[in-house]
């Protein structure tokens, strides 16, 4: 998760530099100029960051969105300009403060704290590890998510339209699709043209590879302002106040700590930024009283919450203007950064 641009465009294998894209401002729409990059991207070592590149950081990169997940300092970028999959893949990133380098690996940019470790291996809760499975990642859009309609989910197209209504105040800005899975909604957000940059972010390497497998067959997305990033939702690699919109579709119940995650989402949102999430409710108003204790036991492996708990959590993390839409066990909610 080889890259082809427009079928008519092939470029020299030794081409190193890309035309510079203008800096992105809020409410701007970026139409990237034709660029030239290899017909296949090889999963090889990342671009090295040489010492002299540090003094040129502000001139060589138009991307100051990404930050170090350790200290949250903006990352220095070395490589071709532009915010799209080929340009970011061929770039290297480094934290000036921590002196740690981050690189693209297998087409996604790894911005986890453990990026680059060789001996250390960290295991997450069972719910998180499940979605790192190649099999689960493969079937997620090929049957798994279609079953959500049994719990009241209205279907991807309607969910997208609902989210877009909530995101109207953030149009033209940066959108991060956290826990994006195979990129079902990330692709929709990127194709909508409503956002200057879209980041498809997930902790699962295999979900991001599946996301790329879908993207590589659609030139309109491949050349759009979209990046694939591996990161922990409880340690988001963005500068504080740098993001206009955060989407989390069918995700909150899978997070090890929803409170830490929503606190992080609040941190990266700018003032007035919008957070939209959807999830399964542990119980809803339609759940018979006799079944509520039973449902709480069978859902104990995930952080399924009630309507009241979700609202309370968003407010306690500093978000305001909370609204929701509920259908059976499905809830979509929205809140804003003050």
């Amino acid at each position: 998760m080889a890259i082809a641009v427009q079928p008519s465009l092939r470029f020299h294998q030794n081409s190193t530099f890309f035309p510079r894209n203008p800096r992105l401002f809020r409410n701007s729409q970026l139409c990237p100029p034709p660029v030239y990059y290899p017909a296949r991207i090889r999963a090889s070592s990342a671009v090295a960051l040489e010492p002299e590149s540090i003094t040129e950081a502000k001139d060589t990169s138009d991307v100051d969105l990404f930050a170090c997940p350790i200290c949250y300092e903006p990352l220095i970028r070395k490589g071709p300009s532009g915010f799209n999959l080929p340009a970011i893949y061929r770039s290297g990133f480094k934290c000036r403060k921590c002196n740690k380098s981050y690189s693209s690996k297998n087409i996604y940019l790894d911005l986890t704290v453990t990026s680059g470790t060789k001996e250390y291996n960290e295991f997450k809760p069972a719910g998180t590890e499940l979605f790192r499975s190649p099999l689960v990642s493969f079937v997620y859009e090929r049957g798994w998510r279609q079953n959500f309609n049994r719990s009241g989910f209205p279907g991807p197209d309607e969910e997208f339209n609902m989210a877009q209504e909530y995101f109207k105040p953030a149009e033209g800005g940066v959108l991060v699709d956290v826990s994006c899975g195979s990129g079902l909604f990330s692709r929709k957000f990127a194709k909508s043209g409503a956002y200057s940059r879209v980041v498809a972010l997930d902790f699962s390497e295999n979900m991001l590879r599946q996301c790329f497998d879908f993207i590589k067959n659609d030139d309109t997305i491949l050349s759009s302002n979209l990046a694939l990033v591996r990161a922990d939702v409880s340690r988001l690699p963005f500068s504080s106040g740098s993001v206009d919109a955060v989407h989390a579709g069918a995700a909150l119940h899978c997070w090890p700590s929803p409170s830490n995650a929503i606190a992080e989402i609040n941190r990266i949102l700018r003032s007035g930024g919008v957070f939209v999430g959807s999830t399964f409710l542990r119980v809803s108003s339609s759940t018979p009283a006799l079944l509520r204790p039973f449902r709480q036991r069978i859902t104990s492996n995930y952080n399924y919450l009630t309507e009241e708990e979700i609202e309370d959590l968003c407010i306690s993390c500093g978000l305001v203007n909370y609204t929701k839409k509920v259908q059976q066990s499905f809830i979509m909610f929205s809140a804003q950064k003050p």
Side-chain angles (χ1 to χ4, degrees):
M1 325 172 247
I3 290 186
V5 223
Q6 302 169 6
S8 60
L9 280 180
R10 296 286 179 183
F11 38 81
H12 199 279
Q13 290 278 18
N14 294 324
S15 173
T16 304
F17 298 101
F18 287 51
R20 183 180 303 281
N21 286 339
R23 181 176 290 274
L24 291 168
F25 289 93
R26 172 157 169 76
N27 297 326
S28 66
Q29 294 294 325
L30 178 65
C31 297
V35 294
Y36 300 91
Y37 39 82
R40 287 186 68 84
I41 285 187
R42 301 171 63 85
S44 57
S45 58
V47 179
L49 282 169
E50 300 177 358
E52 60 267 27
S53 68
I54 294 179
T55 59
E56 303 173 355
K58 292 184 179 179
D59 296 327
T60 58
S61 173
D62 60 359
V63 180
D64 55 4
L65 174 65
F66 299 132
C68 173
I70 297 173
C71 66
Y72 297 132
E73 286 293 310
L75 295 178
I76 300 165
R77 176 177 174 179
K78 174 68 174 180
S81 62
F83 196 92
N84 54 61
L85 293 181
I88 292 175
Y89 177 88
R90 296 182 60 199
S91 297
F93 296 82
K94 187 173 184 177
C95 177
R96 186 199 304 268
K97 186 174 181 179
C98 296
N99 202 37
K100 179 171 179 175
S101 296
Y102 299 90
S103 64
S104 297
K105 180 181 179 182
N106 298 329
I107 61 76
Y108 57 82
L109 177 60
D110 193 341
L111 294 179
T112 58
V113 171
T114 55
S115 172
T117 55
K118 296 179 180 179
E119 301 296 333
Y120 179 75
N121 193 14
E122 185 170 273
F123 291 95
K124 296 289 185 178
T128 301
E129 291 298 314
L130 175 66
F131 291 99
R132 298 179 71 185
S133 159
L135 177 60
V136 172
S137 301
F138 180 82
V139 302
Y140 187 75
E141 276 191 54
R142 299 175 175 91
W144 181 295
R145 205 182 194 283
Q146 286 80 345
N147 289 322
F148 288 10
N149 59 5
R150 298 178 181 177
S151 298
F153 277 67
D157 290 339
E158 180 58 26
E159 288 175 55
F160 173 72
N161 291 334
M162 292 168 65
Q164 285 289 75
E165 285 295 313
Y166 284 129
F167 281 138
K168 281 186 176 180
E171 287 184 357
V174 176
L175 181 144
V176 178
D177 188 15
V178 299
S179 298
C180 68
S182 56
L184 177 62
F185 291 100
S186 304
R187 303 194 304 272
K188 291 178 179 292
F189 289 127
K191 294 190 74 169
S192 73
Y195 309 97
S196 60
R197 286 176 280 183
V198 174
V199 178
L201 182 149
D202 204 282
F203 187 76
S204 168
E205 307 92 324
N206 285 304
M207 281 294 191
L208 292 170
R209 293 186 186 110
Q210 284 297 317
C211 183
F212 178 71
D213 283 344
F214 287 113
I215 290 172
K216 69 182 180 182
N217 296 318
D218 191 335
D219 294 338
T220 61
I221 306 180
L222 190 60
S223 57
S224 67
N225 299 320
L226 172 68
L228 301 185
V229 173
R230 181 174 183 245
D232 187 336
V233 70
S234 293
R235 200 76 185 175
L236 292 171
F238 305 102
S239 301
S240 298
S242 63
V243 172
D244 299 271
V246 174
H247 176 260
L252 183 147
H253 57 279
C254 297
W255 295 342
S257 173
S259 60
N260 285 348
I262 294 180
E264 267 293 88
I265 288 168
N266 185 11
R267 180 187 66 80
I268 67 171
L269 281 174
R270 65 166 180 82
S271 179
V274 182
F275 169 43
V276 174
S278 64
T279 187
F280 296 90
L281 292 171
R282 184 169 73 241
V283 295
S284 66
S285 57
S286 62
T287 305
L290 291 175
L291 295 180
R292 292 191 177 201
F294 175 73
R295 180 164 175 78
Q296 287 180 263
R297 285 197 298 272
I298 65 173
T299 60
S300 60
N301 290 331
Y302 291 96
N303 285 312
Y304 291 123
L305 305 177
T306 64
E307 297 177 42
E308 296 77 14
E309 287 173 325
I310 294 172
E311 180 176 4
D312 188 33
L313 179 56
C314 288
I315 294 172
S316 69
C317 287
L319 298 173
V320 297
N321 299 332
Y322 179 87
T323 61
K324 65 183 179 184
K325 295 178 182 177
V326 177
Q327 181 174 303
Q328 297 179 48
S329 295
F330 163 81
I331 182 173
M332 178 173 282
F333 58 93
S334 172
Q336 280 188 296
K337 174 79 169 281

